[in-house]
Amino acid sequence: MPLIKTCKELKSRLDALDWRGQLALVPTMGALHRGHIALVEKALSENDNVVVSIFVNPTQFNNKEDLKKYPKSLIADVALLDDISKRLLIFAPSIKEVYGSDIASNSYDFEGLDKVMEGSFRAGHFNGVATVVEALFKMVGPNRAYFGEKDFQQLQIIKKLVAKKQLPIEIIGCPIVREANGLAMSSRNERLPKALRMEASFIYKTLQDAKDKFGTKSARFVVDWVKRQFEKHTHLELEYIQIADVDSLSPVPRKKKSGKYRAFVAVYAGGIRLIDNIALN
Ligand code: PAF
């Protein structure tokens, strides 16, 4: 499968398709794992052609070290995608192709969705994400785009971006794919030493217990309970736990019967930052 590196080449490849039909985009930063493959497979099952973009976006990294250490495995990624389908195009543009000479984010108003959780701990992160996603939408011109629910806040922000800019693109969220021990699939898991990768199963186990408790206890009780569990853990450090309304992402002062809630956490495991979330009702 040829690796497409420029918009010009992408356009001529798309123009040369016998039947373009419904076109889907699966944006990724590479280091592909089963979570990405699930997105690609869903996109293939619902569309005629699928573009998978592989681009490690510098503007969404608030921490330069994190950007430097982000796993890169383009050859392995291409080999993995090669085996899946002939209806796939891989688009791996350079930084220059995406940003020209000005590697900077646009500023967006996400009506508060970016002010909590990841947004409050990673300054500028969502402006960086939205800038590259908007650029990819322009370059690829998809009818649908697929995002994982592991980055649930990102998914809601992309939906808001599309609504505000009135882009004719359907945004599809896909369930979190987990390792056998429950750890949410992430390219960052590769950087975890084996023992810590096992220990990190505690994150999902705690979220599942939090969900059970949420049935009978208040949000405040569950948040405090989760904090206590992580305080007792010697290898994992909780950065935040938030129970939020799924649409506004604002913290839940008092739960309502009609409300839909999720619990969100960010956790450091040996210096590696992991995020996860669970639907509570
Ligand atoms: O979720 C990701 O991998 C990235 O944030 C995305 C959507 C590809 C934008 O760089």
Side-chain angles (χ1 to χ4, degrees):
M1 187 179 303
L3 189 59
I4 302 167
K5 296 202 163 165
T6 64
C7 296
K8 202 169 155 217
E9 199 190 337
L10 177 66
K11 190 177 174 314
S12 68
R13 291 257 170 204
L14 289 173
D15 289 346
L17 290 172
D18 292 337
W19 169 243
R20 179 173 166 144
Q22 288 283 325
L23 180 68
L25 170 66
V26 180
T28 81
M29 297 205 296
L32 301 181
H33 50 67
R34 276 200 292 116
H36 295 115
I37 301 306
L39 298 180
V40 171
E41 278 172 349
K42 186 164 166 60
L44 280 166
S45 74
E46 296 176 350
N47 299 277
D48 299 288
N49 292 288
V50 175
V51 174
V52 178
S53 63
I54 299 180
F55 179 70
V56 181
N57 174 34
T59 64
Q60 72 187 75
F61 287 83
N62 52 317
N63 177 337
K64 292 283 162 271
E65 263 317 284
D66 194 24
L67 171 58
K68 235 194 317 193
K69 288 187 182 150
Y70 200 83
K72 292 166 196 80
S73 53
L74 189 58
I75 292 170
D77 291 346
V78 173
L80 192 63
L81 293 171
D82 237 349
D83 284 345
I84 298 181
S85 170
K86 296 263 167 293
R87 292 185 290 123
L88 271 184
L89 297 172
I90 309 173
F91 180 45
S94 65
I95 292 183
K96 192 150 183 251
E97 190 71 13
V98 175
Y99 284 101
S101 54
D102 186 18
I103 307 172
S105 303
N106 306 325
S107 275
Y108 296 87
D109 175 9
F110 294 118
E111 298 169 5
L113 289 178
D114 57 331
K115 299 290 181 269
V116 292
M117 302 188 289
E118 292 304 283
S120 61
F121 285 93
R122 304 184 66 187
H125 170 67
F126 287 119
N127 278 334
V129 169
T131 302
V132 78
V133 169
E134 199 182 358
L136 288 166
F137 284 169
K138 251 190 216 131
M139 291 187 269
V140 178
N143 306 96
R144 298 198 180 102
Y146 291 73
F147 296 84
E149 287 183 346
K150 184 177 80 67
D151 297 295
F152 193 86
Q153 189 173 8
Q154 167 175 283
L155 172 65
Q156 298 301 61
I157 283 175
I158 301 298
K159 284 184 180 165
K160 178 67 78 186
L161 171 77
V162 164
K164 287 193 99 163
K165 301 256 167 175
Q166 299 186 319
L167 304 176
I169 303 171
E170 191 183 348
I171 302 302
I172 317 270
C174 305
I176 299 173
V177 178
R178 298 183 178 280
E179 298 190 359
N181 70 2
L183 177 64
M185 291 264 174
S186 162
S187 305
R188 290 193 166 85
N189 295 357
E190 293 307 314
R191 291 172 49 206
L192 287 171
K194 206 168 167 199
L196 213 45
R197 200 157 166 162
M198 284 316 291
E199 293 266 3
S201 62
F202 182 82
I203 301 170
Y204 184 49
K205 196 188 155 301
T206 308
L207 285 176
Q208 284 176 304
D209 291 346
K211 178 178 178 154
D212 286 346
K213 296 206 182 302
F214 192 73
T216 54
K217 305 282 191 203
S218 69
R220 167 107 246 158
F221 176 93
V222 177
V223 163
D224 289 343
W225 180 84
V226 169
K227 284 182 183 165
R228 283 200 303 279
Q229 306 318 300
F230 279 96
E231 272 158 21
K232 285 187 257 172
H233 200 288
T234 38
H235 301 297
L236 302 175
E237 194 189 320
L238 182 69
E239 185 170 50
Y240 66 76
I241 153 81
Q242 184 170 312
I243 293 181
D245 172 271
V246 294
D247 294 320
S248 69
L249 297 182
S250 48
V252 178
R254 184 161 297 124
K255 56 184 183 186
K256 295 194 194 109
K257 268 216 175 83
S258 58
K260 265 180 91 187
Y261 305 112
R262 273 186 184 248
F264 298 84
V265 290
V267 175
Y268 277 96
I272 295 155
R273 192 170 182 280
L274 304 170
I275 59 170
D276 202 349
N277 68 83
I278 193 168
L280 294 173
N281 59 350

